[in-house]
Structure formats: C-alpha cells, structure tokens
Amino acid sequence: MADPDDPAAPAARFRRLQAGLAQALAAAGPGSTTPHVVVALPSHSMPTRLLDHNASHLPALEHRALLDGLRLAHTPGAHVVVVVSEAPAPEVLDHYAWLARPDDPDAARRRMTCLVVPDGSARGIAAKLLSRPDLLARLRAQLAGRPAVVEPWNVTEDEAAVALALDTPVNGGPPDLWHLGFKSASRRLFRRGGVPVPPGVEDVRDTADVAAAVVDLHRASPSADRFVVKLDNSGAGEGNWMFSTSTAGGRRLSQEALAERISTEAPGWFLRDLRAGGVVEQWVAGTGSLPSPSAQVELLPDGEVVVRATHEQVLGGPDGQVFTGSRFPADPAYSADLAGHATAVARLLADRGAVGWASVDFVVARHGRRHAPFAVDLNLRKGGTSHSLAALQHLVPGTYDAAGGRWVADADGGPRHYRSSDAVPVNPGTDAAAALSAVDASGSTFDHARGTGAVLHMLAALGPHGTVGVTAIGRTAAEAETLYDDVAATLAATGGP
C-alpha cells in the first residue's frame, strides 16, 4: 500500500498544491484585475447507476457551469475555461457574453472559452479529460503561467488528478473526505454538530437490517408507519425508497413479513446497491406539507465558514424525492435556523480539512406556528441550486444576510428573489436561438438596469429532452414567481403552430 505521506504520493502532492488555494482564490476574487484563469470543471463523479441513468442529460448538466462565465461581469482580470463533453451552440456563448458585458460582449466572448472533450460515455468530465492527455496539455497551455483555480462540481480522485496534472489548486476536497457526505456518515456528523435528524438507523446493508431497524424505531414511536431507506452513496433523491410497515387494512407487519415485503417490492438494483450501506429514517410528520429547504455554505482555506444562501427545494418524481428546482431564499420563519445548523456542520468539516462548497438539505415539520428543521442530507459539492445562485451573484452582486434570510444587492440595497428550474418544457424542435429570441421578445430577458429578469441555462437539453433551465430573478418572491410563469408560458408556445 502506498504511503500517503510519501512526498511523491498523490495525496501528499495534492496537499502541497492546495497550500496555494487561498492565494489563487484571492487572485480570482470579484473585481480582480490580476490576469488569472478559472477552470470550471462540472464533473459529475457519481455512482455508476446515477451516471447511467443521467447519461443523456450529462451534457446539459455540464452546461450549467457556463453560468460561471458571468463572473466576467465584475472581474476584469478573469479568463473562464469551461470543460464540457459537448460544445454549446455559438449563440448560447454569445448570449452569456452579452449578459456578462452588455457594454462590450465581444470582450467577454474573448475571455470565455470551452474545452470540449468529445466523449458521450456515462462518465464525469474529469475522467474523460484524464483519458485525453492531448487536451490536458492544451488546457495547461491556456493557463500560460497565470494564477489559476479549478472550480469543480465535486472532488473525487479524478478531479484531484486533473488538478495535479494542471498543477493548479482546486476549490474543494480533499477527495478522502468524500465519504463524509454519504448518508450514514452525514447523520453521525449532524449529531456531533448538535443538528436535529429524523429518528433513524445507519449502516443497514440488507432487508433483514432494514426490518430490524424499523422494529427498533417502532419502540420509540409505535404509531410511525412511513419510512425511507437511503443508499449511502446517492444524491438528488435518487437512491431513496419509501415504504409502509402496515397492510392495506392497517395491520402492523411482523419483522419477518416486513423483510419479505422489502425483498419483493424494492427494485433489484436498489437491494444490490444497499449492500454497500444505507440508512433507514422515519418519515417526518407535521401539519400540512413538509417544506424541503437547503442551506449552502462555502468553506474558505483559512477555516472560515460563510453561509452563501438558503433555498426552498422543489421536489418531484414518483415519491416526491427528486430535486426539480428551487426558490430563493428559504422561508424567513426558519432560514436563520438552517444557516446555523449548516454552519455547525461546516465547522466540523473544516476541522477535517474540507474546503469549497457544501450544502445541507432539511425537512421542516410544522406544528401550528412552530417549525422544526431536521437535517436529511449533506452534499460535499455544488448542487442543484449552485448555478442559479451563480447567476444571481454575478448579475446582481450582493451579500446573503444569513440572520435576515435575504439577498442584499450592492447596487441598490434592495432584496432579490428567484424561482429556478432545470426542466421547463419547450415545444419539440425548438433550438437555443429560438428559445432565447422568444424570451427576449417577451420582454423577460434579464434587465441589467433594474437587476431583474430571466436567465436561461441547460439549453443543450432542448434537443434530447425538450426542456430548458430557467432562473427568474425578481425584487419580490411574487415578482420572481410571476416572471417564471410568464417565461414558462412563452417557452411552451415557442415553435408552436
């Protein structure tokens, strides 16, 4: 076994490389005139089942990172390189250049480039790039000795290897902490941080473990009937399976009968992947619907934790567990609690050497006027809300007030809200140029003077899926919601008879 402290070992080399992260981030900060490069690496290094399931969607998911190019709006020294597996349409890059610099889009266009790794396989873009040393060499040449930083979606061994090949620090990692975002490990971390979690049992690996866990949980909560099993290494609600512990007539199943139900009703792939570990959680009950908010934090190289945002997640799918969009910010009735809980967890992560982005997902039980948040997931990466937040940060620079639960714009001191989705339906056959033109003709495109309007993303999904992403920014929640609905209606009519 290799010694990780051997100066030649990848882990030791990565630690030395990361010693320059603070300096690289300072060179790339808002307003910086220092010539530098930001390498956006939207590498979705996920379990094979998730990559296979999302294979046709990977190019569009990668294109969410194009919104990072909007940093050119306020950072004159930046050059942004986005690594993708499919080239975006020229009109998409032209549109983002205009969004970043309406006064001089040509200048912005020259400072934003894409490195295309033409590979349609179900792998993260970092793995694809590592298999193309010629493209790695081209990317190294683009850095041209300038300060640089890699902005990843997540950091596993693949992303760390890309950083080492580029000799450039990465705003994330180290990869040996990746497992802390797994469900069993994150529940333990939540408890250590004093963050409430739903009643549950970690480290279950088969149907017998799940049934035994439910029996244990029933001792403390005899009336509980709904439970969810979550695979340790999963995300975005994929890898969650819900079940009831009673018959249709309301009779409680025995432990043996429950194990049999799980064996026959859970998908075969789910039971196979459960062997690697998972958790059982009691479904949180409350009055009315259960909000599912999240809190996003950034862990800086000096150990400081900054709360960047809170969101209300919009969930869908067969069991209402799959992320489909968000509203920013989260409800002020509990957003400060979310920020406090996420900060407590992030400090534990920082103590372990974690840096970069992380988020905590919650469910909130309502009991009359009381709100009780429970942490249900930890993501040591960017997530489904990161790209929409990037659009707000770059187009309406400001600060998230964690205590007040609101965005305060630098330009006017006023708040901003947004409604976002990655999957707004568009008429079949609509291309990127038509979608952008339709939104522009409707008067909904982002208005720089007012600091409100709609930004489209994931335009690569138009062809294969007939959908596009929308982030609608308003001065009030109602304005953002109305704008989102108007854009969705415009897109639904685009290309129609």
Side-chain angles (χ1 to χ4, degrees):
M1 180 180 295
D3 180 1
D5 293 321
D6 180 343
R13 291 171 55 214
F14 185 78
R15 287 196 297 272
R16 290 198 303 274
L17 189 64
Q18 291 299 88
L21 177 59
Q23 185 176 357
L25 289 176
S32 173
T33 57
T34 301
H36 64 275
V37 182
V38 176
V39 180
L41 188 69
S43 183
H44 295 77
S45 297
M46 302 181 290
T48 301
R49 69 174 185 280
L50 293 181
L51 286 168
D52 288 342
H53 179 71
N54 290 286
S56 66
H57 228 74
L58 282 177
L61 291 171
E62 292 167 1
H63 284 197
R64 297 188 303 191
L66 295 172
L67 292 176
D68 206 35
L70 298 179
R71 68 174 60 235
L72 299 173
H74 54 70
T75 310
H79 186 106
V80 178
V81 180
V82 186
V83 186
V84 292
S85 58
E86 180 180 298
E91 55 267 28
V92 174
L93 293 177
D94 290 343
H95 178 70
Y96 287 150
W98 173 83
L99 280 174
R101 289 285 307 275
D103 60 322
D104 193 353
D106 290 341
R109 186 67 180 82
R110 289 191 297 270
R111 293 193 290 121
M112 180 179 176
T113 57
C114 290
L115 178 70
V116 180
V117 187
D119 184 336
S121 63
R123 297 187 296 160
I125 196 67
K128 296 175 181 180
L129 182 58
L130 289 169
S131 67
R132 289 292 303 270
D134 57 324
L135 296 180
L136 269 173
R138 185 188 304 175
L139 183 52
R140 278 195 301 271
Q142 281 189 279
L143 302 184
R146 292 172 288 181
V149 63
V150 176
E151 278 289 349
W153 189 78
N154 61 353
V155 180
T156 65
E157 297 291 346
D158 285 343
E159 290 72 29
V162 169
L164 288 172
L166 297 176
D167 195 28
T168 300
V170 58
N171 189 24
D176 58 4
L177 297 184
W178 179 240
H179 71 281
L180 293 179
F182 290 4
K183 301 299 185 289
S184 293
S186 62
R187 279 181 57 89
R188 287 190 282 267
L189 201 65
F190 293 149
R191 289 198 297 268
R192 280 186 56 205
V195 178
V197 295
V201 176
E202 298 90 42
D203 301 312
V204 299
R205 298 185 183 276
D206 55 31
T207 57
D209 287 348
V210 173
V214 169
V215 170
D216 286 343
L217 293 169
H218 271 151
R219 293 192 181 102
S221 200
S223 62
D225 181 54
R226 294 180 72 195
F227 293 82
V228 59
V229 186
K230 302 176 181 179
L231 301 177
D232 268 343
N233 189 9
S234 59
E238 296 177 294
N240 294 357
W241 183 70
M242 295 179 60
F243 63 99
S244 167
T245 60
S246 300
T247 66
R251 180 176 58 83
R252 173 72 53 79
L253 293 171
S254 67
Q255 183 170 341
E256 293 75 16
L258 181 57
E260 178 63 22
R261 166 177 281 186
I262 298 166
S263 296
T264 57
E265 294 185 4
W269 66 265
F270 185 91
L271 296 177
R272 287 192 299 272
D273 286 1
L274 183 60
R275 297 169 192 161
V279 302
V280 178
E281 286 184 347
Q282 182 178 316
W283 190 252
V284 176
T287 304
S289 61
L290 290 175
S292 182
S294 65
Q296 292 69 35
V297 296
E298 188 173 6
L299 290 71
L300 303 181
D302 63 0
E304 182 184 0
V305 173
V306 182
V307 179
R308 296 299 187 193
T310 61
H311 289 84
E312 295 291 343
Q313 299 184 101
V314 180
L315 304 181
D319 293 323
Q321 296 281 293
V322 178
F323 177 87
T324 62
S326 65
R327 293 179 174 90
F328 168 89
D331 191 327
Y334 47 73
S335 60
D337 289 337
L338 307 182
H341 291 326
T343 298
V345 175
R347 284 177 176 151
L348 293 176
L349 293 169
D351 289 344
R352 299 283 295 271
V355 293
W357 287 81
S359 64
V360 180
D361 296 342
F362 300 83
V363 292
V364 178
R366 291 169 168 159
H367 302 282
R369 301 183 68 177
R370 286 193 309 109
H371 298 84
F374 295 89
V376 294
D377 202 4
L378 170 64
N379 300 303
L380 293 181
R381 54 171 172 78
K382 294 184 178 180
T385 58
S386 301
H387 53 292
S388 297
L389 178 61
L392 176 69
Q393 289 174 319
H394 297 321
L395 294 177
V396 193
T399 305
Y400 180 68
D401 172 13
R406 69 190 194 113
W407 185 259
V408 182
D410 291 341
D412 54 31
R416 293 296 188 277
H417 300 251
Y418 62 71
R419 168 72 165 95
S420 183
S421 172
D422 285 350
V424 176
V426 181
N427 259 343
T430 304
D431 61 14
L436 291 168
S437 295
V439 174
D440 192 44
S442 73
S444 299
T445 297
F446 184 80
D447 180 340
H448 294 82
R450 194 169 186 273
T452 62
V455 179
L456 302 190
H457 56 272
M458 292 184 72
L459 288 137
L462 282 169
H465 298 282
T467 60
V468 70
V470 174
T471 297
I473 302 171
R475 291 176 179 256
T476 65
E479 181 183 15
E481 201 74 28
T482 298
L483 176 62
Y484 174 86
D485 290 343
D486 289 347
V487 171
T490 295
L491 291 169
T494 300

